Amino acid sequence: MEEYIQGFVSTSIVKTLLAPLERYKLVRQTQDILTLSSKEKMTNFYQFLKKTISNEGPKGLFRSNLTAIYMWIPQVYAQYVFYQNIKQATYDKDLLSMGLCATLCGITTSIFSYPFDTIRVRQATEIQIPGQKRMYVGFEETRFNIKIESGFFKGLYSGFTVGCLQTLLFAYGIVGLNSLLDGTTPYNQQLAYLGSYALIYPIDSVRRRLQVKSILFQQEASKKQNLWEKLKFNMKEWNFSWGYGGFLAHNVRGIAMLAILEQVNFESLYKETQNQLNQALKY
């Protein structure tokens, strides 16, 4: 369990430092279906920094990060509880079993953490517009408003099935690319991760858009009389460009995380903090 706690602490620190990039990515993935004017939409990171600091202050850059930390708690715990059992039941050295193990671990973890992720996405993508009141302020208020809008499962688990497909393709993408690149470069695992995520990024964008679809959007869609009309309504606002919106920010964040985690000895930091806490508790 100690290694999971170390991973949680180190990842929390690094993700907090890079939280502005994560919020920008989520905004870029979803802003086309939000009720924003052309002046409120953002096309680059500089615009995001300028508008966010102007409307929300510097703390706005880190909006939803606390919920993200909440989300990692069930993620870490679920991995600790289920990973070894899933690995023993499925894992072997062939690609099929390795991908299956990674897929089942990802989906099982997501079952417990997905509502936190939906709350996080709603908070991150709600742009502060001067003169308008926010709906998604605190964790509990956001959860309550989503539940009122769409119901518990329909609201908090919106896009979950798309997320399962994403997990499946991502897992087998990593396993396949890692095997393909094995021996060609010392960074084959990192390249496999980035390459696999590039392939499934549009699917991730679909999932994010499902997580933030407003109740007004859903009501308008429900008025359409047949499947063809519903399909046209959903697709009219979608285009190829949003599919990779924020992709560069995601990669910069991912590379920065790897660089920081490799350079900083978080295990030593964790043990030193634990020793100081133990010393303090003696008195």
Side-chain angles (χ1 to χ4, degrees):
M1 185 62 180
E2 183 175 325
E3 64 182 19
Y4 283 96
I5 296 176
Q6 291 172 3
F8 169 76
V9 172
S10 60
T11 303
S12 297
I13 294 171
V14 178
K15 285 192 173 183
T16 297
L17 294 174
L18 302 173
L21 286 169
E22 174 67 7
R23 188 183 178 196
Y24 169 69
K25 182 197 81 167
L26 293 173
V27 169
R28 284 296 309 278
Q29 285 181 304
T30 60
Q31 65 179 353
D32 286 346
I33 64 167
L34 300 175
T35 53
L36 300 175
S37 68
S38 58
K39 292 183 179 180
E40 293 162 350
K41 290 184 178 181
M42 308 169 193
T43 58
N44 57 65
F45 189 61
Y46 173 73
Q47 285 183 346
F48 168 74
L49 290 176
K50 184 178 178 180
K51 291 180 179 180
T52 302
I53 293 174
S54 175
N55 294 333
E56 306 175 33
K59 66 179 182 180
L61 300 174
F62 298 87
R63 191 166 197 266
S64 80
N65 186 64
L66 184 59
T67 303
I69 294 176
Y70 293 158
M71 180 180 72
W72 301 329
I73 296 174
Q75 280 184 339
V76 170
Y77 186 74
Q79 287 177 357
Y80 174 73
V81 172
F82 295 107
Y83 173 69
Q84 290 299 333
N85 291 329
I86 292 175
K87 185 176 180 180
Q88 289 177 4
T90 62
Y91 187 81
D92 203 345
K93 293 184 178 181
D94 61 283
L95 297 182
L96 182 64
S97 65
M98 287 191 290
L100 178 61
C101 177
T103 300
L104 292 177
C105 287
I107 292 175
T108 304
T109 302
S110 186
I111 291 173
F112 296 93
S113 62
Y114 200 86
F116 294 85
D117 188 43
T118 300
I119 292 171
R120 174 182 76 97
V121 173
R122 289 287 184 102
Q123 290 174 336
T125 57
E126 187 179 33
I127 305 300
Q128 178 64 65
I129 300 174
Q132 291 189 13
K133 183 180 179 181
R134 273 181 162 157
M135 291 182 62
Y136 311 120
V137 180
F139 178 86
E140 186 58 30
E141 182 178 348
T142 303
R143 184 198 66 80
F144 178 78
N145 284 331
I146 294 174
K147 183 180 177 181
I148 293 298
E149 284 181 2
S150 309
F152 179 81
F153 287 102
K154 188 176 180 181
L156 292 173
Y157 281 89
S158 179
F160 180 76
T161 53
V162 175
C164 292
L165 173 63
Q166 176 186 338
T167 300
L168 173 68
L169 296 177
F170 184 53
Y172 277 100
I174 287 181
V175 171
L177 288 174
N178 191 34
S179 176
L180 184 65
L181 295 170
D182 188 30
T184 62
T185 170
Y187 302 102
N188 60 295
Q189 292 183 345
Q190 292 87 339
L191 290 174
Y193 175 89
L194 294 174
S196 182
Y197 204 82
L199 294 175
I200 58 90
Y201 193 83
I203 300 176
D204 185 59
S205 293
V206 170
R207 180 169 69 92
R208 299 306 185 190
R209 292 163 76 89
L210 289 172
Q211 285 178 305
V212 304
K213 274 188 177 179
S214 67
I215 188 65
L216 293 175
F217 187 93
Q218 294 174 17
Q219 288 173 347
E220 287 297 318
S222 67
K223 294 177 183 178
K224 303 305 174 183
Q225 298 301 314
N226 55 60
L227 180 61
W228 174 243
E229 290 298 321
K230 291 177 184 290
L231 180 63
K232 286 198 297 183
F233 179 80
N234 279 273
M235 294 300 292
K236 70 178 182 179
E237 301 182 52
W238 292 18
N239 53 67
F240 182 78
S241 62
W242 66 255
Y244 280 93
F247 180 66
L248 179 60
H250 172 81
N251 285 332
V252 171
R253 174 177 170 270
I255 293 171
M257 280 188 63
L258 291 173
I260 294 172
L261 288 170
E262 286 183 359
Q263 294 297 320
V264 180
N265 189 349
F266 282 104
E267 181 177 355
S268 175
L269 177 64
Y270 168 79
K271 290 183 177 180
E272 180 62 28
T273 303
Q274 190 178 50
N275 291 335
Q276 291 180 2
L277 180 61
N278 290 336
Q279 290 294 326
L281 290 175
K282 290 181 180 180
Y283 301 97

